[in-house]
Amino acid sequence: MTEQPSLHEELVHLRSEIGRLTDEITGLTKENDVLRSEINFLKRAAEYFYKESLDARR
């Protein structure tokens, strides 16, 4: 029969898992911020080129 981990061992494991997940969330948040910044840049570029094309038609 397999021995059950002690409560202390379970808490140590859970604390480690929480730390790992926190690091993963932090990384995803930073990645999200970078992507949001890139999207905003592309939106501004698209608006600029759209306005330029309208001006060129006049």
Side-chain angles (χ1 to χ4, degrees):
M1 209 166 152
T2 305
E3 186 178 320
Q4 292 288 333
S6 71
L7 181 58
H8 175 74
E9 290 170 332
E10 278 294 315
L11 289 173
V12 168
H13 171 74
L14 289 173
R15 186 175 292 145
S16 172
E17 191 66 11
I18 288 169
R20 184 188 69 74
L21 291 171
T22 300
D23 290 345
E24 189 173 332
I25 289 168
T26 299
L28 290 172
T29 300
K30 289 178 182 177
E31 185 177 336
N32 186 42
D33 290 345
V34 168
L35 291 173
R36 184 177 287 122
S37 177
E38 290 175 355
I39 288 169
N40 287 335
F41 171 79
L42 292 172
K43 281 181 181 178
R44 287 191 306 273
E47 289 169 358
Y48 170 80
F49 287 114
Y50 176 73
K51 288 175 185 174
E52 287 291 312
S53 70
L54 289 179
D55 289 345
R57 291 181 189 172
R58 291 183 187 162

